[in-house]
Amino acid sequence: MKTDLTDTTSSKINSALTEARRSIGTAAIGMVLTLVVVTDEGSAYDALKAAGDASREHPSRILAVIKRPGRSPRARAETRLDAEIRVGSDAGTGETVLLRLHGELANHAQSVVLPLLLPDAPVVVWWPENSPENPAADPLGALAQRRITDALTAESPVEALDVRAAHYAPGDTDLAWTRITPWRSMLAAAMDQRRAWVTSAVVEGESYNPSVELLGMWLASRLKIPVERVVSNGPGLTAVRLRTDGGDVVLDRGDGLMATLSMPDQPNRQVALKRRETAELIAEELRRLDPDDIYASAVRTGVATLLAPGESERAAGGKDGSSGDASEGKEEAAKPKAATTVAKAASRSRVTAKVSTPARRTASAKRTTRSGRADDSGSGSGKQGGS
């Protein structure tokens, strides 16, 4: 059932929703949350389709905020709210309201959305594109317990990760992080089977893919190891190699569908690791409404901590004490100052030459006992399996 309202108000929209539910015989509200989708006309169809599919797992009231401020001064001066209400089979398992905000009203979307929120229900805001730099400070984001962005749709996806880290607030998350959940689970399960001392890692994926960077930062933050970033032809994330004292653990996915898990002294195994649709990603994020501390730790690690191919071996050489001269000391001192410059250059050209792990931290890691290091890497990976 669809209802169109022109030049309306939030009060009239609420009344129309009640009438629509009565017309289809469902007077009670059986929804568990409010999902606010902030989009434009060009992306509204795909975003609403994904939100509607996700609502089959999480029945929700979907409020699509479409801002149309106008181009001419006269259009910007006019204020009007148009709404399209969808209930029943046209709205998945919940209710969908398209809110088109014209003129100056586009700058005050929170005043329109607030009266339409479900009472005593969580609020989630999703920006499919053009997300604000600080989602928690955005007027709509301030209404929500969870705020979902997507760095992949940014003009510079890698630089967008630095923005996410600078403005992170509890409740923030990004679909670039959600996309690597199966990878993190698979790697954690592999390390639970083979408890070994992980010395370094290599992450391979296509250029300008923030999920590849996030996976590398997650490994660096949890295992405290140097991580190399290698650019491949894709699609998306293609391979992860964990170098251990007993051999390499490799998870390789070249076609975007099936991956091969290779472990020392074990036969290769084929595992399903397909690239997921947006609806599946949104449904996963709606399963949890508490802050994601692991995501916060990973994104704050910084893209600049990832190394260029071959850098981990040189970092390991420094740990062995083979190069302790004054020239290397000067080089290490200069690296922190160059971190920002290197990160910006990497985001422009995708030549991911990054700053290595500081010598003091890697040296202290080397001094830990062999058994203690194995326990630390195994437990760190195990925590990630449920993220």
Side-chain angles (χ1 to χ4, degrees):
M1 178 179 179
K2 295 183 180 180
T3 304
D4 290 326
L5 300 175
T6 304
D7 197 6
T8 185
T9 64
S10 297
S11 178
K12 293 179 181 178
I13 294 173
N14 267 323
S15 299
L17 282 169
T18 303
E19 185 63 29
R21 286 197 302 271
R22 289 175 179 172
S23 299
I24 63 175
T26 55
I29 299 177
M31 289 156 285
V32 298
L33 59 87
T34 303
L35 176 60
V36 182
V37 184
V38 187
T39 183
D40 53 26
E41 292 287 359
S43 305
Y45 176 82
D46 292 335
L48 287 175
K49 185 179 184 302
D53 292 342
S55 72
R56 302 185 186 281
E57 181 177 339
H58 308 276
S60 56
R61 173 176 288 181
I62 302 171
L63 303 178
V65 179
I66 303 174
K67 300 180 180 181
R68 305 183 67 175
R71 298 180 180 179
S72 65
R74 174 176 294 182
R76 289 192 294 269
E78 295 178 353
T79 299
R80 191 176 83 248
L81 171 62
D82 297 336
E84 179 183 334
I85 299 173
R86 303 175 183 176
V87 179
S89 60
D90 295 318
T93 58
E95 302 170 344
T96 300
V97 182
L98 278 71
L99 302 170
R100 291 183 171 86
L101 284 61
H102 298 265
E104 183 63 23
L105 188 61
N107 298 324
H108 304 279
Q110 72 280 4
S111 63
V112 177
V113 170
L114 186 59
L116 300 176
L117 301 179
L118 291 172
D120 301 323
V123 179
V124 180
V125 178
W126 172 35
W127 291 270
E129 296 181 359
N130 303 320
S131 58
E133 289 189 357
N134 189 348
D138 184 82
L140 286 174
L143 301 175
Q145 284 76 35
R146 291 280 281 177
R147 296 165 293 273
I148 305 174
T149 57
D150 192 353
L152 186 62
T153 63
E155 183 176 353
S156 180
V158 179
E159 288 184 1
L161 294 179
D162 292 332
V163 175
R164 301 286 183 270
H167 299 285
Y168 174 81
D172 290 355
T173 190
D174 197 279
L175 293 186
W177 173 254
T178 317
R179 291 183 180 97
I180 62 174
T181 299
W183 286 82
R184 295 187 293 120
S185 301
M186 194 65 64
L187 292 171
M191 294 310 301
D192 283 342
Q193 298 177 39
R194 183 179 184 83
R195 301 178 67 85
W197 182 13
V198 182
T199 58
S200 64
V202 180
V203 179
E204 300 180 11
E206 63 185 355
S207 180
Y208 292 105
N209 191 311
S211 295
V212 183
E213 316 288 344
L214 272 173
L215 184 60
M217 293 189 293
W218 171 68
L219 290 171
S221 66
R222 305 308 294 176
L223 299 178
K224 303 297 186 291
I225 57 173
V227 179
E228 297 178 12
R229 166 68 162 99
V230 177
V231 176
S232 67
N233 293 327
L237 184 59
T238 54
V240 176
R241 179 183 301 272
L242 301 179
R243 295 169 177 153
T244 72
D245 52 349
D248 291 355
V249 176
V250 182
L251 185 59
D252 190 348
R253 184 192 69 179
D255 58 359
L257 294 174
M258 296 294 295
T260 302
L261 177 62
S262 303
M263 301 178 65
D265 304 324
Q266 295 187 23
N268 293 346
R269 284 171 281 182
Q270 298 293 316
V271 294
L273 209 61
K274 73 179 184 71
R275 305 184 75 188
R276 297 183 292 170
E277 300 292 335
T278 305
E280 298 177 70
L281 304 177
I282 294 296
E284 177 184 328
E285 285 300 334
L286 295 181
R287 292 184 196 128
R288 58 176 302 168
L289 298 175
D290 57 316
D292 192 341
D293 296 331
I294 305 302
Y295 164 71
S297 175
V299 75
R300 285 172 172 168
T301 300
V303 178
T305 59
L306 303 184
L307 308 176
E311 284 291 325
S312 63
E313 286 82 357
R314 288 192 286 272
K319 289 192 294 183
D320 294 336
S322 58
S323 56
D325 57 0
S327 61
E328 181 172 330
K330 294 180 180 179
E331 181 181 352
E332 291 293 330
K335 283 179 179 178
K337 298 180 181 179
T340 304
T341 304
V342 171
K344 291 182 178 179
S347 63
R348 288 194 299 267
S349 62
R350 297 312 302 127
V351 177
T352 53
K354 303 297 191 302
V355 180
S356 62
T357 306
R360 285 178 295 179
R361 186 173 66 185
T362 55
S364 62
K366 183 66 177 179
R367 287 196 295 270
T368 58
T369 62
R370 186 183 189 90
S371 60
R373 181 59 174 167
D375 291 342
D376 179 64
S377 63
S379 62
S381 298
K383 293 180 181 178
Q384 296 303 303
S387 299

